């Protein structure tokens, strides 16, 4: 039960759910939540390989960097989403297709 | 007992991840994301990563999720609450994600993974700190610059007038 394969399957399921969310959501913030699911799936893989590869801590450091990148990405993406909302009065990503109004 | 807790954590993670992508109201998605992130922190406990558990709770639950909820509340209109949240790509989206899941599962089950057993470390914090200050020092400095750039960029982008 508690083996490497179990964690890899969980990460694969989370990754697929995240891809589904990114592809089917209209709302920009919901797309962002799908991206967070994908990044978390990658993190689970890194830490699982770190444990079953003989407790090698490089995987932990890599997962730490991914979390930092996710924080930066969320901050910039939400600033962009709020700008889109101010300009177009919607955050539907299908309608925000022009660079300039 | 440990198996039972693992099963509970896993099912909470996956069911609330489904809630994130399937729920109709955006704020329910955010609450589901909270439970998903808690479940992933629980998986980190099973993977002996105590420092990563703390960082996951502090940064994801305390930081990113709060940002997302702020974003939802700043951009939500009461009149649009009943609008459909999904676009026309539901069919192709489910096909693509199911295909990805099947391919990944085949790869995982067919591969003979290298796996060695090791003993549980007392604490992971000192090892991670040593690695950050020696082997990964350049990446550490680079990511601090990137965080500074993202901070300034987000502040400039979110101002009222540019």
């Amino acid at each position: 039960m508690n083996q490497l394969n179990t964690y890899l399957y969980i990460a694969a399921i989370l990754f697929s759910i995240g891809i589904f969310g990114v592809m089917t959501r209209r709302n920009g913030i919901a797309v962002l939540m799908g991206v967070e699911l994908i990044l978390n799936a990658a993190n689970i893989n890194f830490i699982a390989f770190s444990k079953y590869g003989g407790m090698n801590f490089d995987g932990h450091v890599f997962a730490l960097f991914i979390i930092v990148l996710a924080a930066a990405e969320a901050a910039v993406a939400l600033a962009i989403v709020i700008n889109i909302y101010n300009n177009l009065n919607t955050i539907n990503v299908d309608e925000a297709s022009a660079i300039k109004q | 007992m440990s198996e039972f807790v693992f099963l509970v954590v896993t099912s909470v993670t996956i069911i609330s991840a489904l809630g994130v992508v399937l729920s109709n109201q955006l704020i329910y998605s955010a609450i589901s994301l909270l439970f998903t992130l808690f479940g992933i922190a629980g998986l980190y406990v099973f993977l002996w990563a105590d420092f990563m558990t703390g960082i996951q709770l502090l940064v994801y639950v305390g930081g990113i999720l709060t940002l997302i909820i702020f974003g939802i509340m700043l951009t939500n209109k009461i009149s649009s609450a009943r609008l459909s949240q999904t676009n026309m790509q539901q069919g192709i989206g489910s096909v693509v994600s199911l295909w990805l899941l099947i391919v990944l599962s085949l790869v995982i089950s067919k591969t003979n993974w290298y796996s060695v057993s090791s003993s549980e470390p007392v604490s992971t914090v000192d090892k991670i700190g040593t690695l950050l200050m020696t082997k990964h020092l350049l990446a550490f400095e680079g990511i601090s610059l990137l965080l500074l750039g993202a901070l300034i960029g987000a502040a400039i982008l979110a101002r009222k007038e540019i």
Side-chain angles (χ1 to χ4, degrees):
Chain A
M1 181 83 206
N2 244 329
Q3 281 177 354
L4 177 61
N5 277 17
T6 318
Y7 294 102
L8 297 186
Y9 283 127
I10 295 169
I13 291 170
L14 278 181
F15 180 78
S16 310
I17 293 174
I19 289 282
F20 180 76
V22 169
M23 285 190 74
T24 59
R25 288 301 196 143
R26 304 168 76 192
N27 193 305
I29 296 177
V31 174
L32 195 66
M33 288 195 243
V35 175
E36 301 293 342
L37 282 183
I38 295 173
L39 291 172
N40 270 298
N43 266 349
I44 292 177
N45 269 357
F46 272 118
I47 295 183
F49 280 121
S50 157
K51 176 183 173 186
Y52 291 100
M55 221 50 215
N56 187 349
F57 285 94
D58 286 339
H60 289 217
V61 175
F62 227 106
L64 196 63
F65 285 155
I66 291 178
I67 288 180
V68 173
L69 282 178
E73 170 244 346
V76 174
L78 283 169
I80 292 173
V81 161
I82 287 175
N83 261 323
I84 290 175
Y85 180 75
N86 284 339
N87 285 331
L88 302 180
N89 216 16
T90 175
I91 48 172
N92 187 344
V93 286
D94 297 330
E95 289 176 30
S97 55
I99 291 178
K100 205 171 177 215
Q101 274 177 303
Chain B
M1 186 62 198
S2 164
E3 303 272 296
F4 176 71
V5 175
F6 183 76
L7 211 62
V8 169
V9 166
T10 310
S11 39
V12 162
T13 308
I14 289 174
I15 290 171
S16 49
L18 280 174
V20 172
V21 295
L22 293 180
S23 110
N24 246 337
Q25 296 259 1
L26 211 51
I27 196 80
Y28 293 164
S29 290
I31 304 294
S32 292
L33 189 64
L34 170 75
F35 286 105
T36 311
L37 296 176
F38 266 117
I40 290 168
L43 288 180
Y44 289 171
V45 173
F46 279 98
L47 289 169
W48 302 340
D50 50 358
F51 180 66
M52 292 310 296
T53 309
I55 291 296
Q56 171 90 2
L57 291 181
L58 275 178
V59 175
Y60 262 110
V61 180
I64 296 178
L65 199 64
T66 317
L67 259 181
I68 285 177
I69 290 177
F70 261 115
I72 291 171
M73 289 180 172
L74 282 175
T75 57
N76 211 9
K77 279 182 292 189
I78 305 294
S79 56
S80 70
R82 293 264 81 91
L83 272 182
S84 164
Q85 291 288 336
T86 52
N87 60 13
M88 309 296 281
Q89 291 180 330
Q90 281 222 291
I92 189 168
S94 41
V95 168
V96 166
S97 54
L98 268 182
W99 177 79
L100 259 177
L101 182 61
I102 291 169
V103 170
L104 284 175
S105 308
L106 277 180
V107 169
I108 291 168
S109 61
K110 288 244 192 311
T111 310
N112 190 15
W113 295 104
Y114 166 81
S115 173
V116 291
S117 57
S118 49
S119 56
E120 183 172 357
V122 180
S123 159
T124 63
V125 182
D126 53 345
K127 304 265 180 36
I128 292 174
T130 312
L131 273 180
L132 275 181
M133 280 296 131
T134 53
K135 192 176 169 189
H136 301 288
L137 183 61
L138 185 63
F140 184 68
E141 295 294 336
I143 212 148
S144 66
L145 273 181
L146 179 127
L147 260 184
L148 182 66
L151 181 74
I152 297 173
I156 288 178
L157 273 178
R159 271 192 320 178
K160 270 276 180 278
E161 72 283 343
I162 295 180

